[in-house]
Amino acid sequence: MGAYILRRVLLMIPTLLGIMAISFAVIQFAPGGPVEQVIAKLTGQGSDRLSSGGGDGAAGGSEFGQGGEGSSKYRGAQGLDAEFIAKLEKQFGFDKPPLERFGLMLWNYARFDFGDSYFRDISVLDLILEKMPVSISIGLWITLLSYLISIPLGIRKAVKDGSAFDVWTSGIVIIGYAIPGFLFAIMLMVFFAGGSFFDWFPLRGLTSENFDQLSLGGKILDYFWHLALPLTAMVLSAFATTTLLTKNSFLDEIRKQYVVTARAKGLSERQVLYGHVFRNAMLIVIAGFPGAFISAFFTGSLLIENIFSLDGLGLLGFRSVLDRDYPVVFANLYIFSLLGLFVSLISDLTYTWIDPRIDFDRRDV
C-alpha cells in the first residue's frame, strides 16, 4: 500500500503542473486583464467596454507581452504616459516574460505563498480562509443531508423493487435531479423569501446582523434559518445519484448466494439486510463520500452562493474572474486541484479500509 500511495502522490505533480500550465496559457489571450481594468477606471470607460468582446485576443492579452508603447499595447491607453503604464505592469508583475512569471508562480505556490490580491488589500490566503467557512457549511450539510436521505431511501427502494413505492419515488428522484438547482433556488426565493407570496426566510447572508447578540441557541437557529433555502435548493438533486447507486448496489448483493444461505438459516430479513448485505452493498457508496463532499464544497455552491449572496469561495471565484484578479483565480484553481487529487487518493484508500480484500499494490496505477 505504501508503494501505491507514493506512486499516486508522484503522479499528482505532473497532473497539477499540466492544469496550471494550460490555465496560465489560456490567460495569456484573455481580454481585459488587470492593467486594462485600471486603465478603464482611470479613463472612465468602465467594465462594459472590457467585456464587450471588442478587439482580438492578441490585443486583449498583450499585457503579457514585452516592448512597445503603452498606447499600442492596451485598449484605451491612448494618451496615457508610457512610464505610468510601465509602473502598472511592474505592479502586477507583467514586466517579466511569461515563462519567468509562470516559474515564479509555481515556486511560490509550492510553498503556499499566493501573494496578495490585485484589487483587495489582503493576502490571497487570508482571503480564501475568510470565505471558506461559508462554503464548508454548504458542502458539509449538503453531503450529510444527501446521504441521510439517499441511503435509507435507496435501501427501501431495493427491498420494494418494482412496487408502487419504488416507481413513484424513482419519478420524484429523477424529476428532482432534472431541475437545475439555481432554478429551484429562484422558485424558493419567490415563494418563501419575500417574493410574491411569503416572507419566511432571509434573502441573503449566512447570519443576521445581530448574530453576536444572540444566545447560543439563538445563534444555532439563526444559522440554520439562513441555510434553509440554499440547502433545500441544492439537496433536491444532490441525493438522486446516491439513492439510485444505493438501490442498485443492494439489488446486486441481495441476489447473491450468501444471502440465500443466510435466509435458509432462518435469519430475519432485517438481520440479512443489515448484518450481511449492508457492508458489501455500501462499499462503493461510503467510499465515494470524500468525493461527494468535495464536489458539493467546490462546484455545487457557485450559483447558489450568487443567488443567496453567500460570501463563500464560489462567489469569491466568480467575482475574481470578472475582476481579472489573477492571484485569487490561480490560487483557487491550485488549491481546488490539489485537494481534488488528494481526495481521489483518499477515496481509493477508503475502499481498502471498508474491504481489506482490495489490494491496490497488485494492480498498476
Side-chain angles (χ1 to χ4, degrees):
M1 181 57 66
Y4 173 78
I5 295 175
L6 179 60
R7 290 197 301 270
R8 287 290 298 271
V9 171
L10 291 177
L11 282 173
M12 292 179 187
I13 298 175
T15 303
L16 194 60
L17 284 175
I19 293 173
M20 300 303 295
I22 293 174
S23 302
F24 187 85
V26 171
I27 287 298
Q28 309 311 301
F29 304 98
V35 175
E36 285 187 322
Q37 293 277 1
V38 174
I39 292 173
K41 292 178 180 178
L42 290 175
T43 57
Q45 298 173 35
S47 59
D48 291 339
R49 177 185 171 114
L50 298 176
S51 59
S52 62
D56 56 20
S62 60
E63 68 193 27
F64 297 90
Q66 303 297 315
E69 293 297 323
S71 59
S72 63
K73 291 176 62 179
Y74 305 102
R75 289 175 295 173
Q78 290 80 5
L80 293 180
D81 185 59
E83 184 178 351
F84 173 74
I85 300 296
K87 289 181 179 180
L88 281 180
E89 289 179 333
K90 186 175 182 179
Q91 175 184 344
F92 293 116
F94 297 141
D95 58 328
K96 301 180 180 67
L99 287 179
E100 182 180 346
R101 293 202 317 277
F102 181 67
L104 182 61
M105 182 184 71
L106 292 180
W107 169 248
N108 290 333
Y109 281 18
R111 298 177 290 123
F112 289 91
D113 179 8
F114 302 111
D116 297 328
S117 167
Y118 282 162
F119 305 111
R120 300 176 178 90
D121 189 19
I122 186 174
S123 72
V124 174
L125 187 59
D126 289 340
L127 186 61
I128 292 175
L129 293 177
E130 178 185 318
K131 310 299 183 183
M132 191 170 287
V134 174
S135 295
I136 289 179
S137 295
I138 296 175
L140 180 63
W141 288 115
I142 284 298
T143 307
L144 290 178
L145 286 174
S146 64
Y147 270 69
L148 289 174
I149 295 173
S150 60
I151 291 178
L153 180 59
I155 295 174
R156 186 67 177 174
K157 286 175 63 63
V159 173
K160 298 291 186 180
D161 183 43
S163 66
F165 173 82
D166 180 41
V167 172
W168 69 262
T169 52
S170 293
I172 294 176
V173 167
I174 293 173
I175 293 174
Y177 184 74
I179 298 177
F182 73 90
L183 180 60
F184 193 64
I186 295 174
M187 292 171 56
L188 290 175
M189 290 176 61
V190 171
F191 280 94
F192 303 109
S196 303
F197 297 90
F198 307 103
D199 189 9
W200 293 348
F201 295 95
L203 188 59
R204 58 177 56 87
L206 195 61
T207 56
S208 300
E209 294 182 357
N210 63 336
F211 183 78
D212 293 335
Q213 303 173 3
L214 300 175
S215 63
L216 178 60
K219 289 181 178 179
I220 295 175
L221 290 176
D222 182 74
Y223 170 74
F224 284 107
W225 183 48
H226 282 76
L227 275 180
L229 294 187
L231 291 183
T232 303
M234 294 182 65
V235 79
L236 185 67
S237 60
F239 69 90
T241 302
T242 311
T243 298
L244 297 179
L245 182 63
T246 302
K247 175 193 173 182
N248 293 332
S249 297
F250 267 79
L251 285 177
D252 289 341
E253 294 297 324
I254 288 174
R255 294 164 182 167
K256 291 183 177 179
Q257 185 61 43
Y258 76 89
V259 176
V260 177
T261 303
R263 287 170 175 165
K265 289 181 178 180
L267 296 179
S268 67
E269 191 65 21
R270 185 177 183 83
Q271 289 175 319
V272 172
L273 202 60
Y274 293 100
H276 293 75
V277 176
F278 186 82
R279 178 175 179 177
N280 295 328
M282 292 304 296
L283 172 63
I284 190 172
V285 178
I286 297 176
F289 183 87
F293 171 69
I294 292 296
S295 177
F297 179 39
F298 291 140
T299 61
S301 62
L302 173 58
L303 292 175
I304 301 300
E305 286 184 14
N306 277 277
I307 291 173
F308 290 101
S309 299
L310 299 175
D311 198 10
L313 292 177
L315 188 59
L316 173 65
F318 177 74
R319 289 176 175 171
S320 298
V321 170
L322 293 182
D323 295 338
R324 304 300 194 268
D325 198 346
Y326 292 144
V328 180
V329 173
F330 279 115
N332 273 283
L333 177 65
Y334 180 82
I335 293 175
F336 292 174
S337 300
L338 188 62
L339 285 178
L341 292 171
F342 272 106
V343 165
S344 177
L345 174 60
I346 293 173
S347 296
D348 287 346
L349 297 179
T350 306
Y351 282 101
T352 64
W353 175 65
I354 297 175
D355 189 351
R357 296 173 297 176
I358 298 177
D359 187 0
F360 286 109
D361 284 330
R362 297 183 180 179
R363 51 171 290 198
D364 295 331
V365 177

